[in-house]
Amino acid sequence: MALYSPTYSTSVIFTTRSRSRTTTTTTGHGEMRQIGRRKRVVRVQMVSSSEASSKGGVAFEEGRLERPKWTGETPLSRLVRALISFKPLYSLLKLGARQVLISTAEKTNIPWREMTREVLESEVYKELESIQNPSVIYPDYYLNPFHAYDEGNLSWLAAAEAEAATMSMVRRAIPNASSVDEANQTVRGNWLQAIEQHHLQHSGNSMIKDILDIGCSVGVSTRFLADKFPLAKITGLDLSPYFLAVAQFKENQRAPRKNPIRWTHANGEDTGLPSKSFDLVSVAYVLHECPATAIAGLVREGFRLLRPGGTIAITDNSPKSKILQELSPVLFTLMKSTEPFLDEYYLTDLEGTMREAGFVNVRTILTDPRHRTVTGTVPL
Ligand SMILES: C[S@@+](CC[C@H](N)C(=O)[O-])C[C@H]1O[C@@H](n2cnc3c(N)ncnc32)[C@H](O)[C@@H]1O
């Protein structure tokens, strides 16, 4: 039986849109459903009854456990580790995993190979020189093979595939959505809403003027932030100069913004940026790729960079997600072979780490069925 978080209730609002009108249906189940033949579910919001009207908080169904039972050392993970330490077998598994990833994406209308080809055949390479900071020292964890790429995130192929991979992640979170855009309405929409509400509530009326997006990858999260907060100056920061080159290239192809995005090649644990220079630090889908020491380092650096009243917003897989807790242990254990720090992420007490760094008002919401957004404030 599924339990719900004590803080957030079980009431769900399904907003559906037919051709002529919009209907909202409230049920007790945290899953997307088609209501009526001609109606399409466009937004699923599971709203805390205590907070919905006053703060508009959103939450989704939680599982019974604190974290999935396949996290940590298990006999299955030991077996998989032993198998993949045999290199020829690992190469075969990697190839299989890539093929499944690509074909699954393409079946849901994400043109993975076409998007990749477009980037690889573009002029993106010219951006590298202007973006690469030769003095960056890569932490050891970043130099491991990752996501089935031998050079991890430090390659053009990883950079060219990153946007399609991001779209697939959003699709997986909302499988019943009819398009990536619709899935983003929930995944990115609820994340941005959680940020805005937290800041409104706890910042002492300070405006969001300066935003840092740590681990911006190819700039998808950065562009969502820029669209949501058009008056703010935004910096996207990442350790991969290849990802940043793609981010800059794509941004230059669109209409210029009033506040152009700045792209910075640096380690988010030690950015070299001035203390107290941001009102919002976002860390989206980064921490599950990091060991526990880096998670703590990123949180501490976020604290240093924020002004008093500033907001940190960390979004990533939720250990409490019912869907993640119900994932097949075999599937998850195989995933661990291409994402080597998943265990450390799931075992980290993120809220505790944030409080230890000095954050107050630490608050966690499931902003979609798989992901949580954890927000906190630098004391005023
Ligand atoms: C999954 S991607 C982030 C996706 C992006 N934020 C979004 O929401 O679309 C994770 C990113 O974190 C970056 N990263 C990992 N460790 C980092 C660090 N210490 N400093 C900066 N970036 C880091 C990786 O290079 C990668 O681009």
Side-chain angles (χ1 to χ4, degrees), residues 75-139:
L76 185 62
S77 60
R78 278 194 288 276
L79 174 70
V80 170
R81 225 184 9 255
L83 290 175
I84 63 178
S85 65
F86 180 55
K87 291 287 174 248
L89 184 62
Y90 181 55
S91 303
L92 218 64
L93 279 174
K94 245 178 15 186
L95 201 69
R98 264 185 69 71
Q99 272 162 0
V100 170
L101 208 65
I102 295 170
S103 65
T104 312
E106 291 185 344
K107 271 188 211 133
T108 56
N109 297 327
I110 297 167
W112 183 297
R113 282 172 294 181
E114 196 183 315
M115 288 173 74
T116 304
R117 199 177 324 114
E118 237 173 63
V119 176
L120 291 177
E121 290 175 1
S122 73
E123 307 272 280
V124 69
Y125 309 98
K126 293 185 182 157
E127 311 287 337
L128 191 65
E129 206 185 317
S130 68
I131 228 139
Q132 191 158 25
N133 174 0
S135 60
V136 164
I137 299 169
Y138 296 104

Coordinates of all heavy atoms in Angstrom, one line a residue, residues 75-139:
P75 N 23.3 -8.2 -3.2 CA 23.9 -9.3 -3.9 C 23.8 -9.1 -5.4 O 24.8 -9.4 -6.1 CB 23.1 -10.5 -3.4 CG 22.5 -10.1 -2.1 CD 22.3 -8.6 -2.2
L76 N 22.7 -8.5 -5.8 CA 22.5 -8.3 -7.3 C 23.6 -7.3 -7.8 O 24.2 -7.5 -8.8 CB 21.1 -7.8 -7.5 CG 20.7 -7.6 -9.0 CD1 20.8 -8.9 -9.7 CD2 19.3 -7.0 -9.1
S77 N 23.8 -6.2 -7.0 CA 24.8 -5.2 -7.5 C 26.2 -5.8 -7.5 O 27.0 -5.5 -8.4 CB 24.7 -3.9 -6.8 OG 25.0 -4.1 -5.4
R78 N 26.5 -6.7 -6.5 CA 27.8 -7.3 -6.5 C 28.0 -8.2 -7.8 O 29.0 -8.2 -8.4 CB 28.0 -8.1 -5.2 CG 28.5 -7.2 -4.1 CD 29.0 -8.1 -2.9 NE 27.9 -8.7 -2.2 CZ 27.1 -8.2 -1.3 NH1 27.4 -6.9 -0.9 NH2 26.1 -8.9 -0.7
L79 N 26.9 -8.9 -8.1 CA 26.9 -9.8 -9.3 C 27.2 -9.0 -10.5 O 28.0 -9.3 -11.3 CB 25.6 -10.6 -9.4 CG 25.5 -11.5 -10.6 CD1 26.5 -12.7 -10.6 CD2 24.1 -12.0 -10.8
V80 N 26.4 -7.9 -10.7 CA 26.5 -7.1 -11.9 C 27.9 -6.5 -12.0 O 28.5 -6.4 -13.0 CB 25.4 -6.0 -11.9 CG1 25.7 -5.0 -13.0 CG2 24.0 -6.6 -12.1
R81 N 28.4 -6.0 -10.8 CA 29.8 -5.4 -10.8 C 30.8 -6.5 -11.3 O 31.7 -6.2 -12.1 CB 30.1 -4.9 -9.4 CG 30.8 -3.5 -9.6 CD 31.3 -2.9 -8.3 NE 31.3 -3.6 -7.1 CZ 30.5 -3.5 -6.1 NH1 29.5 -2.6 -6.2 NH2 30.6 -4.2 -5.0
A82 N 30.7 -7.7 -10.8 CA 31.6 -8.8 -11.2 C 31.5 -9.0 -12.7 O 32.5 -9.1 -13.4 CB 31.3 -10.0 -10.4
L83 N 30.2 -9.0 -13.2 CA 30.0 -9.3 -14.6 C 30.6 -8.2 -15.5 O 31.3 -8.5 -16.5 CB 28.5 -9.5 -14.9 CG 27.9 -10.7 -14.4 CD1 26.4 -10.7 -14.7 CD2 28.5 -12.0 -15.0
I84 N 30.4 -6.9 -15.1 CA 30.8 -5.8 -15.9 C 32.3 -5.6 -15.8 O 32.9 -4.8 -16.6 CB 30.0 -4.5 -15.8 CG1 30.1 -4.0 -14.4 CG2 28.6 -4.7 -16.2 CD1 29.4 -2.7 -14.2
S85 N 32.9 -6.1 -14.8 CA 34.4 -6.0 -14.7 C 35.1 -6.8 -15.8 O 36.2 -6.6 -16.1 CB 34.9 -6.4 -13.3 OG 34.7 -7.7 -13.1
F86 N 34.3 -7.7 -16.4 CA 34.8 -8.4 -17.5 C 34.5 -7.5 -18.8 O 33.4 -7.4 -19.3 CB 34.1 -9.8 -17.6 CG 34.5 -10.6 -18.8 CD1 35.8 -11.0 -19.0 CD2 33.6 -11.1 -19.7 CE1 36.3 -11.7 -20.0 CE2 34.0 -11.9 -20.8 CZ 35.3 -12.2 -20.9
K87 N 35.6 -6.9 -19.3 CA 35.5 -5.8 -20.2 C 34.7 -6.1 -21.5 O 33.8 -5.4 -21.9 CB 36.9 -5.2 -20.6 CG 37.5 -4.5 -19.5 CD 36.8 -3.1 -19.3 CE 37.4 -2.4 -18.1 NZ 36.5 -2.2 -16.9
P88 N 34.9 -7.3 -22.1 CA 34.1 -7.6 -23.3 C 32.6 -7.6 -23.1 O 31.8 -7.1 -23.9 CB 34.7 -9.0 -23.8 CG 36.0 -9.1 -23.1 CD 35.9 -8.4 -21.9
L89 N 32.3 -8.2 -21.9 CA 30.8 -8.2 -21.6 C 30.3 -6.8 -21.3 O 29.2 -6.5 -21.8 CB 30.7 -9.1 -20.3 CG 29.2 -9.3 -19.9 CD1 28.4 -10.1 -21.0 CD2 29.1 -10.1 -18.6
Y90 N 31.1 -6.0 -20.7 CA 30.7 -4.6 -20.4 C 30.4 -3.9 -21.7 O 29.5 -3.2 -21.8 CB 31.7 -3.9 -19.5 CG 31.4 -2.5 -19.2 CD1 30.1 -2.2 -18.6 CD2 32.2 -1.4 -19.5 CE1 29.8 -0.9 -18.3 CE2 31.9 -0.1 -19.2 CZ 30.6 0.1 -18.6 OH 30.3 1.4 -18.3
S91 N 31.4 -4.0 -22.6 CA 31.2 -3.3 -23.9 C 29.9 -3.8 -24.6 O 29.2 -2.9 -25.2 CB 32.4 -3.7 -24.9 OG 33.6 -3.3 -24.2
L92 N 29.6 -5.0 -24.5 CA 28.4 -5.5 -25.1 C 27.1 -4.9 -24.4 O 26.2 -4.5 -25.1 CB 28.4 -7.1 -25.0 CG 27.8 -7.9 -26.1 CD1 28.7 -7.7 -27.4 CD2 27.8 -9.3 -25.8
L93 N 27.2 -4.9 -23.1 CA 26.1 -4.4 -22.3 C 25.8 -2.9 -22.7 O 24.7 -2.4 -22.8 CB 26.3 -4.5 -20.8 CG 26.0 -5.8 -20.2 CD1 26.5 -5.9 -18.8 CD2 24.5 -6.1 -20.3
K94 N 27.0 -2.2 -22.8 CA 27.0 -0.7 -23.0 C 26.3 -0.5 -24.4 O 25.4 0.4 -24.5 CB 28.4 -0.2 -23.1 CG 28.7 0.8 -22.1 CD 30.2 1.2 -22.1 CE 31.0 1.0 -23.3 NZ 32.4 1.4 -23.2
L95 N 26.7 -1.3 -25.4 CA 26.2 -1.1 -26.7 C 24.6 -1.4 -26.7 O 23.9 -0.6 -27.2 CB 26.8 -2.1 -27.6 CG 26.8 -1.8 -29.1 CD1 27.7 -0.6 -29.4 CD2 27.3 -3.1 -29.9
G96 N 24.3 -2.5 -26.0 CA 22.8 -2.8 -25.9 C 22.1 -1.7 -25.2 O 21.0 -1.3 -25.7
A97 N 22.6 -1.2 -24.1 CA 22.0 -0.1 -23.4 C 21.8 1.1 -24.3 O 20.7 1.7 -24.3 CB 22.8 0.3 -22.1
R98 N 22.8 1.5 -25.1 CA 22.7 2.6 -26.0 C 21.6 2.4 -27.0 O 20.8 3.3 -27.3 CB 24.0 2.8 -26.7 CG 24.9 3.9 -26.0 CD 26.1 4.1 -26.9 NE 25.8 4.8 -28.1 CZ 25.5 6.1 -28.2 NH1 25.4 6.8 -27.2 NH2 25.3 6.6 -29.4
Q99 N 21.6 1.2 -27.5 CA 20.6 0.9 -28.6 C 19.2 1.0 -28.0 O 18.3 1.6 -28.6 CB 20.8 -0.4 -29.2 CG 21.8 -0.3 -30.4 CD 22.4 -1.6 -30.8 OE1 22.1 -2.7 -30.2 NE2 23.3 -1.6 -31.8
V100 N 19.0 0.5 -26.8 CA 17.6 0.6 -26.2 C 17.2 2.0 -25.9 O 16.1 2.5 -26.2 CB 17.6 -0.2 -24.9 CG1 16.3 0.0 -24.1 CG2 17.8 -1.7 -25.1
L101 N 18.2 2.8 -25.4 CA 17.9 4.2 -25.1 C 17.5 5.0 -26.4 O 16.5 5.7 -26.4 CB 19.3 4.8 -24.6 CG 19.2 6.0 -23.7 CD1 18.5 5.5 -22.4 CD2 20.6 6.5 -23.4
I102 N 18.2 4.7 -27.5 CA 18.0 5.5 -28.7 C 16.6 5.0 -29.3 O 15.8 5.8 -29.7 CB 19.1 5.3 -29.7 CG1 20.4 5.9 -29.2 CG2 18.8 5.9 -31.1 CD1 21.7 5.7 -29.9
S103 N 16.4 3.7 -29.4 CA 15.2 3.3 -30.0 C 14.0 3.6 -29.2 O 12.9 4.0 -29.7 CB 15.2 1.8 -30.3 OG 15.3 1.0 -29.2
T104 N 14.1 3.6 -27.8 CA 13.0 4.0 -27.0 C 12.6 5.5 -27.2 O 11.5 5.9 -27.3 CB 13.3 3.8 -25.5 OG1 13.8 2.5 -25.3 CG2 12.1 3.9 -24.6
A105 N 13.7 6.3 -27.3 CA 13.4 7.7 -27.5 C 12.7 7.9 -28.9 O 11.7 8.6 -29.0 CB 14.8 8.5 -27.5
E106 N 13.2 7.2 -29.9 CA 12.6 7.5 -31.2 C 11.2 7.0 -31.3 O 10.4 7.5 -32.1 CB 13.6 6.9 -32.3 CG 14.9 7.7 -32.4 CD 15.8 7.3 -33.5 OE1 15.7 6.2 -34.0 OE2 16.7 8.1 -33.8
K107 N 10.9 5.9 -30.5 CA 9.5 5.4 -30.5 C 8.6 6.5 -29.9 O 7.4 6.5 -30.2 CB 9.4 4.1 -29.7 CG 9.7 2.9 -30.6 CD 9.4 1.6 -29.8 CE 10.3 0.5 -30.3 NZ 11.0 -0.2 -29.3
T108 N 9.1 7.4 -29.1 CA 8.2 8.4 -28.5 C 8.5 9.7 -29.2 O 8.3 10.8 -28.6 CB 8.5 8.5 -27.0 OG1 9.9 8.8 -26.8 CG2 8.1 7.3 -26.2
N109 N 8.8 9.6 -30.5 CA 9.0 10.8 -31.4 C 10.1 11.8 -31.0 O 10.0 13.0 -31.2 CB 7.6 11.6 -31.4 CG 6.6 10.8 -32.1 OD1 6.9 10.0 -33.0 ND2 5.3 10.9 -31.6
I110 N 11.1 11.3 -30.3 CA 12.3 12.1 -30.1 C 13.3 11.7 -31.1 O 13.8 10.6 -31.1 CB 12.8 11.9 -28.7 CG1 11.8 12.3 -27.6 CG2 14.1 12.7 -28.5 CD1 12.1 11.9 -26.2
P111 N 13.5 12.6 -32.1 CA 14.4 12.2 -33.2 C 15.9 12.1 -32.8 O 16.7 13.0 -33.3 CB 14.1 13.2 -34.3 CG 13.7 14.4 -33.5 CD 13.1 14.0 -32.2
W112 N 16.2 11.2 -32.0 CA 17.6 11.2 -31.3 C 18.7 11.3 -32.4 O 19.6 12.1 -32.3 CB 17.7 9.9 -30.5 CG 18.9 9.7 -29.7 CD1 20.2 9.6 -30.2 CD2 19.1 9.6 -28.3 NE1 21.1 9.4 -29.2 CE2 20.4 9.4 -28.0 CE3 18.2 9.7 -27.3 CZ2 20.9 9.3 -26.7 CZ3 18.7 9.5 -26.0 CH2 20.0 9.4 -25.7
R113 N 18.7 10.3 -33.4 CA 19.8 10.3 -34.3 C 19.9 11.5 -35.2 O 20.9 12.1 -35.4 CB 19.8 9.0 -35.1 CG 20.3 7.8 -34.3 CD 20.1 6.5 -35.0 NE 18.7 6.2 -35.2 CZ 18.2 5.2 -35.7 NH1 19.0 4.3 -36.2 NH2 16.9 5.0 -35.8
E114 N 18.7 12.0 -35.5 CA 18.7 13.3 -36.4 C 19.2 14.5 -35.6 O 20.0 15.3 -36.1 CB 17.2 13.5 -36.8 CG 17.0 14.4 -37.9 CD 15.5 14.6 -38.2 OE1 14.8 13.6 -38.2 OE2 15.1 15.8 -38.3
M115 N 18.8 14.6 -34.3 CA 19.2 15.7 -33.5 C 20.7 15.6 -33.3 O 21.5 16.6 -33.4 CB 18.5 15.7 -32.1 CG 17.1 16.1 -32.2 SD 16.3 15.8 -30.6 CE 16.9 17.2 -29.6
T116 N 21.2 14.4 -33.1 CA 22.7 14.2 -32.9 C 23.5 14.6 -34.1 O 24.5 15.3 -34.1 CB 23.0 12.7 -32.5 OG1 22.2 12.4 -31.4 CG2 24.4 12.5 -32.2
R117 N 22.9 14.1 -35.3 CA 23.6 14.4 -36.5 C 23.7 15.9 -36.8 O 24.7 16.5 -37.2 CB 22.9 13.7 -37.7 CG 23.8 13.5 -38.9 CD 23.1 12.8 -40.1 NE 22.3 11.7 -39.6 CZ 20.9 11.6 -39.8 NH1 20.3 12.6 -40.4 NH2 20.2 10.6 -39.3
E118 N 22.6 16.6 -36.5 CA 22.5 18.0 -36.8 C 23.6 18.8 -36.0 O 24.2 19.7 -36.5 CB 21.1 18.5 -36.3 CG 20.4 19.2 -37.4 CD 19.0 19.6 -36.9 OE1 18.9 20.4 -35.9 OE2 18.0 19.1 -37.5
V119 N 23.8 18.4 -34.7 CA 24.8 19.0 -33.9 C 26.2 18.7 -34.5 O 27.0 19.6 -34.7 CB 24.7 18.6 -32.4 CG1 25.8 19.3 -31.6 CG2 23.4 19.1 -31.9
L120 N 26.4 17.4 -34.7 CA 27.8 17.0 -35.1 C 28.2 17.5 -36.5 O 29.3 17.7 -36.8 CB 27.8 15.4 -35.1 CG 27.8 14.7 -33.8 CD1 27.8 13.2 -33.9 CD2 28.9 15.2 -32.9
E121 N 27.1 17.8 -37.3 CA 27.5 18.3 -38.7 C 27.4 19.9 -38.7 O 27.5 20.5 -39.8 CB 26.5 17.7 -39.7 CG 26.8 16.3 -39.9 CD 25.8 15.6 -40.9 OE1 24.9 16.3 -41.4 OE2 25.9 14.4 -41.1
S122 N 27.2 20.5 -37.5 CA 27.1 22.0 -37.5 C 28.5 22.6 -37.3 O 29.5 21.9 -37.3 CB 26.2 22.4 -36.4 OG 26.8 22.2 -35.1
E123 N 28.5 23.9 -37.0 CA 29.7 24.7 -36.8 C 30.0 24.8 -35.3 O 30.7 25.6 -34.9 CB 29.5 26.1 -37.3 CG 29.1 26.2 -38.8 CD 30.3 26.2 -39.7 OE1 30.9 27.3 -39.9 OE2 30.6 25.1 -40.3
V124 N 29.4 23.9 -34.5 CA 29.5 23.9 -33.1 C 30.9 23.9 -32.6 O 31.3 24.6 -31.6 CB 28.7 22.8 -32.4 CG1 29.3 21.4 -32.7 CG2 28.5 23.0 -30.9
Y125 N 31.8 23.3 -33.3 CA 33.2 23.1 -32.9 C 33.9 24.5 -32.7 O 34.8 24.6 -31.9 CB 34.0 22.3 -33.9 CG 33.2 21.0 -34.2 CD1 32.4 20.9 -35.4 CD2 33.3 19.9 -33.4 CE1 31.7 19.7 -35.7 CE2 32.6 18.7 -33.7 CZ 31.8 18.6 -34.8 OH 31.1 17.5 -35.0
K126 N 33.4 25.5 -33.5 CA 34.1 26.8 -33.4 C 33.9 27.4 -32.0 O 34.6 28.4 -31.7 CB 33.5 27.7 -34.5 CG 33.9 27.3 -35.9 CD 33.4 28.3 -36.8 CE 33.7 27.9 -38.3 NZ 32.8 28.5 -39.2
E127 N 32.8 27.0 -31.3 CA 32.5 27.6 -30.0 C 33.5 27.2 -28.9 O 33.7 27.9 -27.9 CB 31.1 27.3 -29.5 CG 30.0 27.4 -30.5 CD 29.7 28.9 -30.8 OE1 29.9 29.7 -29.9 OE2 29.1 29.2 -31.9
L128 N 34.2 26.1 -29.1 CA 35.0 25.5 -28.0 C 36.0 26.4 -27.5 O 36.2 26.6 -26.3 CB 35.6 24.1 -28.5 CG 36.2 23.3 -27.3 CD1 35.1 22.9 -26.4 CD2 36.9 22.1 -27.9
E129 N 36.7 27.1 -28.4 CA 37.9 27.9 -28.0 C 37.4 29.0 -27.1 O 38.1 29.3 -26.1 CB 38.6 28.4 -29.2 CG 40.0 28.7 -29.0 CD 40.7 29.4 -30.2 OE1 40.5 28.9 -31.3 OE2 41.4 30.3 -29.9
S130 N 36.3 29.6 -27.4 CA 35.9 30.8 -26.6 C 35.3 30.4 -25.3 O 35.2 31.2 -24.4 CB 34.8 31.6 -27.4 OG 33.6 30.9 -27.5
I131 N 34.9 29.1 -25.2 CA 34.3 28.7 -23.9 C 35.2 27.9 -23.0 O 35.0 28.0 -21.8 CB 33.0 27.9 -24.3 CG1 31.8 28.4 -23.5 CG2 33.1 26.4 -24.0 CD1 30.6 28.5 -24.3
Q132 N 36.1 27.2 -23.5 CA 37.0 26.4 -22.7 C 37.9 27.2 -21.8 O 38.6 28.1 -22.3 CB 37.8 25.5 -23.6 CG 38.5 24.4 -22.8 CD 38.9 23.2 -23.8 OE1 39.0 23.4 -25.0 NE2 39.0 22.0 -23.3
N133 N 37.9 26.8 -20.5 CA 38.8 27.5 -19.6 C 39.9 26.5 -19.3 O 39.8 25.5 -18.6 CB 38.0 27.8 -18.3 CG 38.9 28.4 -17.2 OD1 40.1 28.5 -17.4 ND2 38.3 28.7 -16.1
P134 N 41.1 26.8 -19.8 CA 42.2 25.8 -19.7 C 42.7 25.6 -18.3 O 43.3 24.6 -18.0 CB 43.3 26.4 -20.6 CG 42.9 27.8 -20.9 CD 41.5 28.0 -20.6
S135 N 42.3 26.5 -17.4 CA 42.8 26.3 -16.0 C 41.8 25.4 -15.2 O 42.1 25.2 -14.0 CB 43.0 27.7 -15.3 OG 41.8 28.4 -15.3
V136 N 40.7 25.0 -15.8 CA 39.8 24.1 -15.0 C 40.5 22.8 -14.7 O 41.1 22.1 -15.5 CB 38.5 23.8 -15.8 CG1 37.8 22.6 -15.2 CG2 37.7 25.0 -15.8
I137 N 40.4 22.4 -13.4 CA 41.0 21.1 -13.0 C 39.8 20.1 -12.8 O 38.9 20.4 -12.0 CB 41.8 21.2 -11.7 CG1 43.0 22.1 -12.0 CG2 42.3 19.8 -11.3 CD1 43.7 22.5 -10.7
Y138 N 39.7 19.1 -13.6 CA 38.6 18.2 -13.5 C 38.7 17.3 -12.2 O 39.8 16.7 -12.0 CB 38.4 17.3 -14.7 CG 38.2 18.1 -15.9 CD1 39.2 18.4 -16.9 CD2 36.9 18.6 -16.2 CE1 38.9 19.2 -18.0 CE2 36.6 19.4 -17.3 CZ 37.6 19.7 -18.2 OH 37.4 20.4 -19.3
P139 N 37.6 17.2 -11.4 CA 37.7 16.2 -10.3 C 37.8 14.8 -10.8 O 37.3 14.5 -11.9 CB 36.4 16.5 -9.6 CG 35.5 17.2 -10.5 CD 36.3 17.9 -11.5

